[in-house]
Amino acid sequence: MKKTLFIVLLLASFSGKSQKSSLNIIPQPVEIEQTAGLFTLTKSTIISYNNASARSVADMLVQKLNTPTGFLLKTQEGKGGAIQLILNETNNDNIGKEGYTIVSTTKAVIVSANTTAGLFYGIQTLVQLLPKEIEAKAVAKSSWTIPAVKITDYPRFAWRGIMFDVSRNFFSKEDVKKYIDQLARMKYNTFHWHLTDDEGWRIEIKSLPKLTQVGAFRVPRSGHFGDRAIPKDGEAATVGGFYTQDDIREVVAYAQDRNVTIVPEIDVPGHSMAAIAAYPELSCNKNPKTFVNPGAAMADWYGNGTFKMLYENTLNPSDEKVYEFLDKVFTEVATLFPNKYIHVGGDECYKGFWAADEGCQALMKQLNIRHVEDLQGYFMNRLEKILKAKGKKLLGWDEILEGGISPEATVMSWRGIKGGIEAAKMGHDVVMTPTTFAYLDYNQGEATIDPPIYAGLRVSKSYSFEPVPDGVDAKYILGGQGNMWTEQIPSLRYAEYMSYPRVWALADVYWSPKASKNWDNFAKRMEAHFERADLAQVNYSRAVYDAIVKTTLKDNKLSLELGTELSDLDIYYTIDDTMPDSFSPKYSSIVDLPEGPITLRVITYRSGKPIGHLITLKRADLEKRASK
C-alpha cells in the first residue's frame, strides 16, 4: 500500500542499521549473536553466584522464575550452577559499570558483569530470552527454553530516568514500588520523584508538621483538571496523602536493590501553593486563606509561554524566614536520599507578586538589579549554598539558567532542547527531557480517542529522539528521561497506560547504540512486549495501531491524508455515514473530500482483521485540524 509522504518521512528519519537477531529484547543490546540450540530450564536447574554480593541478584532471578514455572529453583554460592551469575575477578573495561555479557549454550547460561548492577541488567535480558509466559502471575504451561546466544551489552547514557509526579495525584508507596520495578526491568536507573507542587506536599518534614497536616490534602473534586472549582469556605480537605520518612526509606531501599537512584524534587520558588497553604507567611501577601489547589485553573496563559498567576504560589525571595524554612526542609530531605542530587524545580515561577512587594523591591535595590526576573537567580544561588552545605548538588528545570547559576548546577532541559544546548555550551551537565519527545502525559494517538490533554506525542516520535544535539559536546549530556505529570492520571493502572510503549521506546534511546536505531525493528519488539505485558497484567496503549488523520484546506477545498505508524496496516474509510470495514474504500493516496456535511470514519486492519480504534470526525473537526 502506498503510504502518505509524512509517514514515509517519519519512518525514514530514523531507519538506522537493523540488528539481524529475531530476539525481542528491549532495550536493544549492543551486540547479539544467536547460534544453534536451546538451553532448557527444568525444576532441577541450579542458579549459582560466585560472590556473596551477587546473592541478592540470584535471589531476584529465582523469585521471578518460580511463580510462572511452578519450579522451586534454588541458588547456591560457587560456579556449579547451570545458570551462573559471575562477578568478574578481572574488570572487563568494554562493558563498564552497568554492562554485562551473556553466553548461553545447550548446557549452561553464564551472565557476567563487573558489578552487581551489571548482573541485575543481565538477568533482565535473560528473562526476556525466555518465552512470554515467564511474565504470568500464576503457573503457566510453556517450554522454558533460552536460545543459544552471545550478548555483549552496556548503556549509551549514564542517566536513564523517568520522572513521576505524585503531587497532582497521590500514589501509595506500593504503587510507587511497583512502577519502579517496571522501570528497572527496562534498565532505567533514575527515578525522579516529584514530591511537592501546588496540589500537594507529599513528604513528611518533622520540623514543619503543617506541610503534611495541611499541605498534603485538598478538597474533593471530580471532572477535568483545570476546570474544577476552588474550595468553599469551611470545606474539609480530605483527598490526598503523604509519605512518612519511614515510607521514604523503604522506597529508597527498594529502588537501590534494583539499581535505581531516587532523585527527590522539592519544587521552589514557584509551584509552592501547598507549602504556602500550610505556612502563609512564606509568601509575599501572606494570605491565610491560601488553599491546596484541587485542580482549579491557576493561571491565565497567553500563548507565547507567558502567564499570569490567579493565586499566589511563589515563595518570597526577600524574606530570610523563607531560607530558614528551606534549610529545615532540605536538612531532612538530604538525610533521606543518599544520592548526590536534589531537584529544586525552578520552573514556571511567576514574578508578578514579587514586582508588587516592597520587600522584594528593597532587595532589588540592595542587590543593584533592575529586573525582577533576576531575583530568581538570587534565590537559586542562596538555595544552592544550602544544598552544598549538606553535600548535595542542585538540579533544576532549564529556567534556573535565568538569573545565573553556579557552574556546578545541573540543568534538566524540558522546554525543547534549547535550554540544554545553552547549558551544555556553558559547561553545565544536562539531562535532556524535552516536551517534544519525552512528556508521557501527552496523548499517544488520535486526540478524539483518548481523554483530552493539551498535546500529543506518538511512540514513533519518542523513539526518534536524539539526546545529543548537533554541535554539543556529548560529555555534558548525562542522558535523558521521560516525564509523567499526573494532572489527568489518577491511578497506577492509567499511569501504565500512558507510560507504555513510550517508556520502552525511550529505554532504547537512552541505553542502545545510536547506530542500531530502526523503527521497524523496534516496532516488532514492541508488539512482542504487548503480549508480555498482557500476561504481566501491565496496562499499555494500543494507539500505535490507529490511523493518523491529517487534512489540508486550500482554496476552500478540503483534502484528506491518512497514514499509520506501523508499515503493515491497511486503512479503510467511509464518508457516506456507514461503518467502515475491509470492503470499504481502502486508502492509497490523498483524497479530495466533497463539499457539504460529511462524517469521516476510519479504521485500520492487519491481515484482514480490524486492529485499530474506529475514528469518527465530522467536517468541522476535519477543517479545524487542516494545515493551510
Side-chain angles (χ1 to χ4, degrees):
M1 183 181 72
K2 178 182 177 183
K3 291 295 178 184
T4 56
L5 179 60
F6 75 96
I7 293 299
V8 171
L9 291 175
L10 174 69
L11 298 177
S13 66
F14 44 100
S15 58
K17 182 179 178 182
S18 175
Q19 296 280 346
K20 294 182 179 179
S21 171
S22 61
L23 304 175
N24 296 311
I25 300 168
I26 298 177
Q28 179 77 25
V30 175
E31 296 177 10
I32 309 176
E33 179 185 347
Q34 188 168 355
T35 56
L38 297 169
F39 171 86
T40 300
L41 184 73
T42 70
K43 62 183 179 180
S44 61
T45 299
I46 297 294
I47 297 173
S48 65
Y49 53 93
N50 72 326
N51 187 302
S53 60
R55 179 175 179 175
S56 61
V57 180
D59 288 343
M60 284 186 188
L61 178 58
V62 165
Q63 184 179 12
K64 175 64 180 175
L65 300 180
N66 278 350
T67 296
T69 62
F71 300 157
L72 298 175
L73 301 176
K74 295 180 180 180
T75 64
Q76 69 178 31
E77 191 166 0
K79 295 183 178 180
I83 297 178
Q84 300 176 29
L85 305 185
I86 304 295
L87 279 174
N88 295 327
E89 296 177 3
T90 301
N91 200 63
N92 180 347
D93 294 335
N94 186 39
I95 61 175
K97 293 181 179 179
E98 294 182 295
Y100 63 92
T101 63
I102 296 177
V103 178
S104 64
T105 66
T106 57
K107 295 181 178 179
V109 178
I110 300 174
V111 183
S112 303
N114 297 325
T115 66
T116 54
L119 283 182
F120 178 84
Y121 294 132
I123 70 168
Q124 306 316 310
T125 296
L126 183 63
V127 168
Q128 291 190 35
L129 290 172
L130 283 157
K132 64 184 179 181
E133 288 79 12
I134 201 67
E135 305 296 345
K137 297 292 187 180
V139 175
K141 290 184 178 180
S142 182
S143 56
W144 303 112
T145 58
I146 296 170
V149 293
K150 293 181 180 179
I151 295 176
T152 299
D153 200 15
Y154 47 85
R156 181 183 176 195
F157 293 105
W159 187 296
R160 306 178 304 279
I162 296 293
M163 188 283 300
F164 193 50
D165 166 24
V166 295
S167 175
R168 275 49 180 267
N169 278 296
F170 179 67
F171 293 78
S172 70
K173 67 179 179 182
E174 288 77 17
D175 282 346
V176 172
K177 289 195 292 185
K178 185 176 180 180
Y179 193 60
I180 288 172
D181 196 51
Q182 293 171 10
L183 299 178
R185 297 189 62 197
M186 290 290 117
K187 302 184 177 70
Y188 284 92
N189 65 357
T190 303
F191 182 72
H192 172 177
W193 207 357
H194 186 84
L195 289 163
T196 73
D197 215 299
D198 300 319
E199 292 76 22
W201 184 284
R202 305 301 183 200
I203 178 171
E204 178 188 28
I205 304 297
K206 292 184 177 181
S207 61
L208 297 161
K210 287 184 181 179
L211 284 174
T212 46
Q213 291 171 356
V214 175
F217 298 92
R218 60 183 187 238
V219 297
R221 290 289 183 271
S222 59
H224 195 270
F225 208 92
D227 296 334
R228 301 173 184 174
I230 65 172
K232 302 172 184 176
D233 286 344
E235 187 177 7
T238 57
V239 175
F242 65 93
Y243 310 104
T244 67
Q245 294 195 1
D246 284 343
D247 291 336
I248 297 287
R249 293 186 189 97
E250 181 181 333
V251 174
V252 167
Y254 186 89
Q256 286 176 326
D257 287 344
R258 288 151 183 79
N259 299 286
V260 173
T261 295
I262 296 186
V263 175
E265 181 180 355
I266 307 298
D267 201 348
V268 291
H271 288 280
S272 295
M273 197 168 177
I276 295 169
Y279 296 98
E281 64 271 20
L282 299 173
S283 64
C284 291
N285 292 329
K286 301 174 173 46
N287 183 357
K289 291 188 176 182
T290 300
F291 52 85
V292 178
N293 182 27
M298 289 281 291
D300 289 330
W301 290 87
Y302 300 130
N304 59 354
T306 62
F307 60 98
K308 177 182 179 181
M309 291 301 302
L310 303 176
Y311 306 98
E312 190 172 13
N313 74 335
T314 51
L315 303 178
N316 182 351
S318 70
D319 191 340
E320 285 301 310
K321 290 182 180 178
V322 166
Y323 301 102
E324 294 172 10
F325 164 82
L326 292 171
D327 188 79
K328 290 180 179 179
V329 168
F330 287 111
T331 293
E332 297 188 36
V333 170
T335 62
L336 292 169
F337 296 93
N339 88 91
K340 64 181 178 180
Y341 290 105
I342 292 179
H343 200 299
V344 298
D347 62 310
E348 297 177 333
C349 178
Y350 177 65
K351 316 299 193 303
F353 296 105
W354 296 356
D357 181 73
E358 291 183 1
C360 289
Q361 292 301 309
L363 177 60
M364 289 174 62
K365 186 175 181 180
Q366 176 187 334
L367 298 172
N368 195 28
I369 57 177
R370 296 175 55 191
H371 303 291
V372 70
E373 288 77 13
D374 292 333
L375 281 178
Q376 179 155 338
Y378 168 80
F379 177 93
M380 284 297 169
N381 278 288
R382 289 285 303 268
L383 182 51
E384 186 169 25
K385 290 177 182 177
I386 291 172
L387 295 183
K388 280 185 176 181
K390 303 176 196 316
K392 301 295 184 181
K393 289 190 67 172
L394 182 144
L395 169 64
W397 304 111
D398 54 58
E399 285 98 328
I400 66 173
L401 291 169
E402 300 166 7
I405 52 174
S406 80
E408 295 96 17
T410 299
V411 175
M412 201 167 266
S413 185
W414 73 277
R415 296 178 298 177
I417 61 174
K418 181 180 177 182
I421 294 172
E422 179 185 350
K425 289 184 175 180
M426 293 169 62
H428 294 284
D429 286 339
V430 175
V431 177
M432 285 293 193
T433 178
T435 59
T436 43
F437 297 97
Y439 265 44
L440 304 174
D441 57 319
Y442 285 11
N443 277 339
Q444 297 171 83
E446 168 59 42
T448 62
I449 298 295
D450 284 345
I453 195 73
Y454 42 85
L457 175 60
R458 294 183 178 275
V459 62
S460 55
K461 183 70 177 291
S462 289
Y463 185 76
S464 73
F465 180 36
E466 171 46 48
V468 181
D470 292 340
V472 171
D473 191 335
K475 73 179 183 181
Y476 293 113
I477 307 301
L478 299 180
Q481 71 177 34
N483 292 332
M484 176 62 74
W485 301 104
T486 62
E487 286 95 333
Q488 292 298 119
I489 300 174
S491 66
L492 179 63
R493 185 75 179 165
Y494 197 59
E496 292 172 347
Y497 177 87
M498 298 300 285
S499 295
Y500 313 117
R502 291 181 295 194
V503 162
W504 304 340
L506 290 174
D508 249 39
V509 170
Y510 301 145
W511 178 280
S512 305
K514 180 180 179 181
S516 72
K517 186 171 286 188
N518 179 286
W519 168 250
D520 288 336
N521 175 277
F522 173 77
K524 175 180 71 73
R525 291 182 282 129
M526 172 188 69
E527 291 194 79
H529 278 261
F530 286 165
E531 297 180 8
R532 286 178 171 259
D534 288 338
L535 288 163
Q537 300 175 8
V538 171
N539 202 7
Y540 59 91
S541 168
R542 295 173 59 88
V544 72
Y545 294 117
D546 296 343
I548 300 172
V549 181
K550 295 184 72 174
T551 55
T552 302
L553 187 62
K554 187 176 182 180
D555 298 329
N556 292 321
K557 292 183 179 180
L558 189 62
S559 298
L560 173 68
E561 191 175 6
L562 301 177
T564 60
E565 290 183 274
L566 300 179
S567 60
D568 63 343
L569 303 185
D570 295 319
I571 308 171
Y572 296 93
Y573 69 97
T574 62
I575 53 174
D576 60 358
D577 253 358
T578 61
M579 297 296 288
D581 62 14
S582 59
F583 292 89
S584 302
K586 181 178 178 180
Y587 181 81
S588 60
S589 61
I590 293 174
V591 177
D592 293 328
L593 296 172
E595 296 182 3
I598 59 168
T599 299
L600 171 72
R601 291 181 174 87
V602 180
I603 193 167
T604 55
Y605 273 63
R606 174 186 274 167
S607 302
K609 295 183 178 180
I611 194 168
H613 291 98
L614 174 69
I615 298 171
T616 303
L617 298 166
K618 294 185 178 297
R619 185 182 191 90
D621 302 318
L622 295 169
E623 289 179 347
K624 283 181 183 178
R625 67 176 62 193
S627 56
K628 298 181 180 180

